[in-house]
Every structure is written in C-alpha cells, then in structure tokens.
Amino acid sequence: MNKKLVEVEAVEVNIDLTTKSPVLDLVEIDGERELTISIGILEAASIATALEDVTSPRPMTHDLMFQLVDAMQASAERIEIVREEQGIFFANLVLKIGEETRTVDCRPSDGVALALRAGAPILVSDDLLGKSENETTTTEDSTDENFWDDVLKEMDDDDFGKYKM
C-alpha cells in the first residue's frame, strides 16, 4: 500500500526550549499542517546555512554529499519522510542515475540538508503531518541573526560528543 506524500517546505530551524535541542519545522506547501522533528546540532547548522544561503570557504559534509551525487552524474530527485516509530522519523532519498531511480535510507535531517542544496522537493507522508515528537514543544524563533552563534557559544565541548569544532 502506497501512502500519500505531501510536499512541504523546510521553513526554519528552532530550539526546543524544553530539551534545548534543535528542531526542524516543515510546513505543508498547499495547506496549513506542519511537522516538527528533532535534529542534531550539526545537521541543524547545515540546514540553517542552506536556508540562509550561506556558503563556507570549504565544503561541509552535506555540500560534499551534493558534489558527490553531481560528480556521479546523478541527481537528488526528492526526500520522502515516510514513517515514525517510537519518536524516530525515517526517510528515503530518491536518486536518479541516468534512467534508473534508486532509493536510499537516510535520516530526515540529512535528506533535507541535501534536498535544500539540490533544489529537490521534500515530501512527507500525509499521516505524519500535524504531528511532532513533542506536541507541547516550545520553540524560539531562529530569525535573529546571532541566534545560532549564541546557541553554539553556550554549548560545552561535551555537547558535541565525538565532534569537535
């Protein structure tokens, strides 16, 4: 059984004030429903830079991913966020290589980061729209130009786990 997929727009990356974790807000293009999902800090930074059209002097991970897909003469056709199990969202990256289409399992945040760079549509299973991992999530608007700088400065090195900045 194929589930209906609905196109959404990645609107912004916020911080959940309860968990102090980044969340991605996806909004239905031809409607009003939303989906909010928790994402990692590095993926949040990657998505935020794509949304703000910020480029770095050297390719970051998702920029490299986009360049690799392009170098292989493939294209990212779309990202599909297809299901949720126990608060974890699952997605597929649909690639076109010549006349062949391939589907690759991916985290929604990685798929969205790549889709934004490729100009590819972001699709969400209809039954997921209107849900979020925490229905009472409180977020802070990330439109302040120093928002992410302030968030990163307040974090401890341990917050990044094995990643160092």
Side-chain angles (χ1 to χ4, degrees):
M1 176 175 98
N2 288 338
K3 291 185 178 185
K4 179 181 175 194
L5 296 171
V6 177
E7 189 169 0
V8 297
E9 178 182 8
V11 176
E12 63 188 354
V13 176
N14 288 309
I15 293 292
D16 181 315
L17 296 178
T18 305
T19 64
K20 304 290 189 224
S21 298
V23 293
L24 172 62
D25 294 328
L26 302 168
V27 177
E28 184 178 22
I29 287 183
D30 292 326
E32 297 180 10
R33 295 178 297 168
E34 298 180 18
L35 176 65
T36 300
I37 58 175
S38 291
I39 59 176
I41 187 75
L42 299 176
E43 293 79 8
S46 181
I47 291 169
T49 59
L51 287 172
E52 297 295 323
D53 240 357
V54 175
T55 57
S56 63
R58 301 289 298 142
M60 302 303 287
T61 302
H62 295 102
D63 300 316
L64 174 62
M65 214 162 84
F66 174 69
Q67 290 176 4
L68 287 170
V69 168
D70 188 52
M72 295 184 323
Q73 299 179 339
S75 62
E77 290 293 298
R78 64 187 175 276
I79 173 75
E80 300 174 346
I81 302 172
V82 294
R83 72 182 194 282
E84 176 263 336
E85 294 177 16
Q86 299 178 336
I88 297 170
F89 289 89
F90 293 81
N92 295 315
L93 173 63
V94 179
L95 298 170
K96 182 103 177 185
I97 306 167
E99 295 300 315
E100 187 177 347
T101 300
R102 293 205 180 159
T103 301
V104 180
D105 178 41
C106 71
R107 296 184 304 177
S109 57
D110 290 327
V112 167
L114 183 60
L116 290 171
R117 285 159 174 79
I122 302 164
L123 305 173
V124 173
S125 179
D126 185 63
D127 62 337
L128 295 178
L129 285 169
K131 284 186 177 183
S132 68
E133 292 171 301
N134 179 356
E135 294 297 335
T136 60
T137 296
T138 305
T139 58
E140 181 174 313
D141 190 349
S142 64
T143 57
D144 176 32
E145 66 184 58
N146 297 321
F147 178 77
W148 283 105
D149 287 339
D150 294 341
V151 168
L152 292 171
K153 285 177 188 171
E154 291 176 19
M155 296 183 75
D156 295 324
D157 287 343
D158 292 340
D159 292 333
F160 290 99
K162 65 180 180 178
Y163 300 101
K164 298 293 179 194
M165 298 203 55

